Amino acid sequence: MREIQGTDVVEAVAAMCMKGNTELPQDVRAKLEQAMAAEESPSAREVLRQLLENADLAHETKLPLCQDCGLAVLFVEVGDDCRIVGGNLRELINEGVRKGYADGYLRKSACDPLTRANTGDGTPAVIHFDMVPGDKLKIAYMAKGGGAENMSRVTMLAPAQGWEGIKKFVIERVAEAGPNPCPPTIIGIGIGGTFEHAAKIAKRSLLRKLDDVHPDPKIAAMEKELEEALNALGIGPMGLGGKTTVLGVKITMEPCHLASLPLAVNVQCHSQRHEEVEL
């Protein structure tokens, strides 16, 4: 069995927190550039130009892309033929988040839900574990800002509502959200599973690259149909109108109970901050 040092986990997570908050992923930047070239509205083009300028400044100065450095969300795939040495994996990941948010001077946003007392160090992170074959440890980090997260929803549709019901709910959700999640947004959709699993797979969908195409042609067509419908809403960058309300729609679909049709919509702002590492 392969051994992975706990100190390597801490350093890798800390590095992801700092890089993820200061470097806009290339696929997101490319989509923003494409959107600016396609926009006809002067105000929409100007907003997109400013978003790209902001990304350049963050890269040059190593200051965060957004003042909301997000709650740390991590998706962890643990190979069944590897062993973590030197600590508990959950505690090591939280130590990495703590170090990354401190060393990177990132805003700590974790707090008690009722007293609102800040935990002071960005932890505890929200961590999702999966066991997978192999001897590797794969960790994906996402900085989930509050503005976009607050616009997300989970619902339980009747099975008979099908695809038409799903489309209606997603379009209404994005329309109601309007400018609040800082569009253009990326929409992660989870269809199936259970109430809580739909929310998890919706968020995991946001880890996909914006320029990828779903390997299932039916789901790829659903993503394209929704993206076109959402951009037709005309909300535009920062809600000022235009052709670019969303940069992409990513769907994950899994089997569910015969009597249920779980649906989750997870909204992510234009500052799509995420990083991955494999140890």
Side-chain angles (χ1 to χ4, degrees), residues 145-264:
E149 188 75 349
N150 290 347
M151 296 298 106
S152 303
R153 295 290 186 274
V154 179
T155 189
M156 302 298 285
L157 299 179
Q161 290 178 267
W163 174 234
E164 291 304 316
I166 292 169
K167 278 195 302 182
K168 182 174 184 292
F169 184 85
V170 174
I171 292 170
E172 288 180 352
R173 176 82 300 265
V174 174
E176 290 169 4
N180 294 308
C182 296
T185 54
I186 298 101
I187 308 298
I189 299 174
I191 304 171
T194 54
F195 181 86
E196 82 283 5
H197 192 65
K200 176 183 172 182
I201 60 178
K203 183 160 289 179
R204 196 178 64 200
S205 299
L206 295 172
L207 295 174
R208 284 173 52 199
K209 297 287 187 185
L210 283 176
D211 54 1
D212 75 355
V213 177
H214 199 287
D216 185 327
K218 290 182 180 177
I219 297 179
M222 293 159 65
E223 291 177 344
K224 183 178 180 184
E225 183 178 345
L226 269 176
E227 182 174 339
E228 290 176 352
L230 296 176
N231 279 327
L233 291 172
I235 296 170
M238 293 297 170
L240 296 178
K243 299 165 64 174
T244 317
T245 298
V246 300
L247 296 175
V249 175
K250 301 298 178 186
I251 297 175
T252 300
M253 191 156 59
E254 295 189 5
C256 62
H257 192 285
L258 283 170
S260 303
L261 179 49
L263 170 63

Side-chain angles (χ1 to χ4, degrees), residues 42-64:
S43 57
R45 279 201 306 274
E46 175 58 18
V47 170
L48 293 167
R49 187 198 66 76
Q50 290 184 18
L51 295 181
L52 289 165
E53 182 182 27
N54 180 67
D56 290 339
L57 289 170
H59 169 75
E60 292 167 7
T61 63
K62 302 306 175 191
L63 292 172

Side-chain angles (χ1 to χ4, degrees), residues 8-21:
D8 291 341
V9 174
V10 173
E11 293 302 322
V13 171
M16 285 195 295
C17 293
M18 290 186 281
K19 184 179 179 183
N21 268 290

Side-chain angles (χ1 to χ4, degrees), residues 1-9 76-90 92 129 131-139 279:
M1 178 170 283
R2 180 168 169 265
E3 293 187 344
I4 298 173
Q5 298 298 318
T7 51
D8 291 341
V9 174
V76 183
E77 292 182 0
V78 186
D80 55 13
D81 199 25
C82 72
R83 186 169 75 92
I84 310 302
V85 179
N88 172 272
L89 182 53
R90 183 183 296 276
L92 291 167
F129 290 100
M131 293 297 297
V132 298
D135 62 358
K136 303 286 176 53
L137 176 68
K138 184 176 179 180
I139 306 175
L279 300 175

